[in-house]
Amino acid sequence: MKNTFKLNIVLTAVLTSVGLTACGGGSDDNSTVTVQPEQPSALTDCMWQNSFSSKSGTGEDPLNIAFPDSNVNYWSSEFAVPEGAKVTIDGDYPYSRHFSLVSYTAEGLRVNSLLDSTIAPNKGSVNPFIPGNNRLDKSRSYTAQLELGELPENPVENTLYAPKTEGNKVAMLYRVYVPNKNMDEKGNASFPRFKVQLANGEVKTGNDACNVLQVKRTPIQKTTTISEATSLALFNQQLHEGFPAQQIPTWYKAFSGVDNIKCIYKFDPVTKKPIDKCEGQPVTPKLNYWATPDNEYVFAMTSRRLGKVMELRGKLPPTVKTLNNDPLFEKTDVRYWSICSNELITTATNYCLYDEQIKNVDKDGFYTIVASLPEDRPANATEACGVNYLQLSPRGSGYMGEDGKAVGHGDLGIFIMRNLLPDPEFKQAVQNVKAWGEEKTVMGDYLPDMKYTSKEDFEAKGCN
């Protein structure tokens, strides 16, 4: 087993020519943007690169890393601010459930979120993310500032803070959650546009702003807590059948990468000693892997060696309805909710269900989700029978080596459930869990109960 427990892996996936038309071509990962003004923007403008994606559900997308949500669109930007320069961001609120601009450290630790509902609109415009406002108003522009330095206790309105680093390097992600039906992946809004005022007063916009900011034209780096070799060594401990899945399926709150590795593999990567259980272990509430500050997560490890079908039953917190171009933005317990099937080793996402896709609840407000491979899907795991279905992937952990068959890499699964921006009065949110072992006590019925079952046993329940 290796003694090095932290390795940043540079993702070398090659973007398509469509994604690079506005930002130049070439293969040098460390090169910067030299924009040709006559080349129109196709998918991204020169500030933004295609980023995390899980649209195919296979886990094989080259940018399917860091456990992305398949109902969210992501773009990244890495650049360097000239000393003494001021950076302004002009944007338009998208027609969507949520959007944000989030700054990060180079290691993928989240720093600050410029959150949709907190961004004051320009004069004459409307912020459609304020409860009660018209979501479909056509006047929807805003202006924000980028500030390098520590996040203050009382942040200035319309300001995104990024850590001050050597060379003033900045990393950020732009997210758009669930665009309205029949709208593009950006929610029918343009990308946030950058304007740079240099120390000498000269102002740069458009392609000139990208050039002066030395925008990287490569995807954001993949950051992992431990190397793949170490992950495989820990996986291969096989402390029990189905390891590292819990034999009794159990949800745990996601904390720092080191904490999560410790809980999943029952091994402390700092002390290099085994642990008996997650409950009672100290935790650090700092998420990495390019997570957003607006979400908190619980995860559960499962294995088809312990049961080929998973049955989940819980309550869905009230969420904002937006997909069908709903006109008003309502106050709800949670802005967005989803549950996804994922790959532990690759950090890819396979399939997700989000709140508006949960079509069936019983008279008490409970949903039932059945998760399996397609060939193991019970005949009554259908909407007609009141059941919501979440597909699993035969890729399991995502490690496809021949040596992984004996220890069950193809059988492993990891569920991740998100709560985005809960109302402060909603006490059952993931955000209110502060330690492992508190999950069910805090969340109650909003943390779904899970159990292993089989196709035959679930079909024996009949329909409805």
Side-chain angles (χ1 to χ4, degrees):
M1 186 179 297
K2 293 185 178 181
N3 293 324
T4 301
F5 283 84
K6 189 166 185 181
L7 176 64
N8 293 335
I9 304 172
V10 178
L11 182 67
T12 57
V14 179
L15 291 181
T16 64
S17 58
V18 172
L20 294 173
T21 51
C23 296
S27 59
D28 181 0
D29 285 350
N30 296 315
S31 58
T32 56
V33 174
T34 302
V35 177
Q36 302 300 323
E38 65 272 12
Q39 292 181 319
S41 173
L43 179 61
T44 64
D45 74 5
C46 59
M47 282 302 302
W48 299 100
Q49 308 299 316
N50 287 318
S51 192
F52 313 134
S53 175
S54 62
K55 300 305 180 186
S56 74
T58 64
E60 297 175 355
D61 305 287
L63 293 174
N64 196 343
I65 56 172
F67 303 118
D69 189 313
S70 62
N71 299 294
V72 181
N73 300 300
Y74 306 80
W75 296 271
S76 65
S77 188
E78 293 182 276
F79 53 91
V81 179
E83 195 64 41
K86 295 180 180 179
V87 179
T88 302
I89 304 170
D90 293 311
D92 302 290
Y93 302 102
Y95 293 86
S96 66
R97 174 73 63 85
H98 165 66
F99 89 94
S100 65
L101 284 161
V102 180
S103 60
Y104 296 87
T105 69
E107 293 76 30
L109 291 172
R110 56 193 190 180
V111 176
N112 182 214
S113 172
L114 190 59
L115 171 63
D116 50 24
S117 62
T118 66
I119 303 173
N122 292 338
K123 185 177 181 180
S125 288
V126 171
N127 184 332
F129 296 95
I130 301 293
N133 281 1
N134 180 8
R135 293 187 60 250
L136 307 180
D137 194 292
K138 293 183 179 180
S139 299
R140 48 199 308 122
S141 66
Y142 64 87
T143 301
Q145 309 294 325
L146 175 66
E147 184 74 26
L148 300 184
E150 293 294 324
L151 178 64
E153 185 175 343
N154 297 304
V156 177
E157 186 178 68
N158 287 30
T159 301
L160 177 67
Y161 294 87
K164 178 76 172 175
T165 63
E166 183 179 354
N168 296 335
K169 294 180 180 178
V170 176
M172 65 171 61
L173 284 173
Y174 178 54
R175 290 172 168 86
V176 176
Y177 281 62
V178 193
N180 289 13
K181 185 181 291 184
N182 299 323
M183 294 193 178
D184 66 23
E185 58 188 358
K186 300 193 299 295
N188 278 25
S190 62
F191 281 108
R193 303 168 297 280
F194 284 61
K195 179 171 62 178
V196 183
Q197 181 178 338
L198 300 173
N200 64 5
E202 188 177 358
V203 175
K204 302 289 186 180
T205 60
N207 297 331
D208 291 336
C210 292
N211 288 334
V212 79
L213 291 173
Q214 304 176 61
V215 179
K216 287 182 65 176
R217 55 179 172 80
T218 54
I220 211 159
Q221 289 184 348
K222 178 180 179 179
T223 302
T224 59
T225 303
I226 56 177
S227 69
E228 181 179 285
T230 301
S231 293
L232 297 179
L234 291 173
F235 191 110
N236 294 346
Q237 295 178 100
Q238 288 301 293
L239 301 179
H240 55 72
E241 182 72 10
F243 182 83
Q246 298 280 347
Q247 292 179 304
I248 299 176
T250 306
W251 291 104
Y252 290 106
K253 169 79 175 282
F255 291 105
S256 75
V258 170
D259 292 330
N260 298 337
I261 291 298
K262 179 168 60 176
C263 182
I264 290 169
Y265 291 117
K266 302 301 181 291
F267 183 88
D268 190 327
V270 176
T271 66
K272 300 179 178 59
K273 294 180 180 179
I275 66 169
D276 294 329
K277 59 183 181 180
C278 307
E279 291 82 355
Q281 294 290 326
V283 293
T284 303
K286 277 191 175 183
L287 279 172
N288 50 359
Y289 298 130
W290 306 102
T292 169
D294 305 321
N295 261 331
E296 296 292 343
Y297 315 80
V298 288
F299 65 87
M301 308 302 302
T302 64
S303 173
R304 295 177 67 254
R305 294 193 170 195
L306 302 174
K308 293 186 177 181
V309 177
M310 289 297 303
E311 180 181 353
L312 300 90
R313 176 174 165 81
K315 274 192 172 182
L316 189 70
T319 58
V320 185
K321 306 304 178 189
T322 58
L323 179 64
N324 294 308
N325 292 287
D326 306 74
L328 292 179
F329 203 83
E330 299 177 350
K331 179 181 178 181
T332 56
D333 287 347
V334 172
R335 175 79 72 87
Y336 173 87
W337 174 100
S338 71
I339 185 169
C340 300
S341 59
N342 307 271
E343 299 175 4
L344 175 63
I345 303 297
T346 63
T347 70
T349 298
N350 302 118
Y351 303 97
C352 298
L353 288 173
Y354 80 96
D355 45 68
E356 287 194 79
Q357 294 172 324
I358 301 296
K359 304 294 186 183
N360 298 284
V361 296
D362 65 18
K363 60 182 178 60
D364 298 316
F366 284 83
Y367 61 80
T368 296
I369 295 174
V370 164
S372 73
L373 294 179
E375 59 265 32
D376 297 320
R377 181 175 181 171
N380 54 342
T382 62
E383 287 188 18
C385 289
V387 177
N388 306 278
Y389 181 69
L390 177 61
Q391 185 173 323
L392 300 182
S393 167
R395 287 171 52 91
S397 77
Y399 176 66
M400 307 303 290
E402 285 294 317
D403 58 326
K405 292 181 178 179
V407 293
H409 276 278
D411 298 314
L412 191 78
I414 173 171
F415 291 121
I416 296 177
M417 190 176 78
R418 290 166 169 81
N419 281 184
L420 175 74
L421 297 171
D423 186 278
E425 296 179 2
F426 181 58
K427 303 303 182 184
Q428 289 79 39
V430 176
Q431 281 78 351
N432 296 317
V433 177
K434 305 302 180 185
W436 288 324
E438 295 181 358
E439 289 83 0
K440 193 63 178 178
T441 301
V442 171
M443 297 180 67
D445 292 334
Y446 296 101
L447 185 74
D449 294 326
M450 297 182 291
K451 66 179 181 180
Y452 291 108
T453 185
S454 66
K455 180 178 181 179
E456 295 75 19
D457 286 347
F458 192 85
E459 286 178 345
K461 295 184 175 187
C463 192
N464 294 313

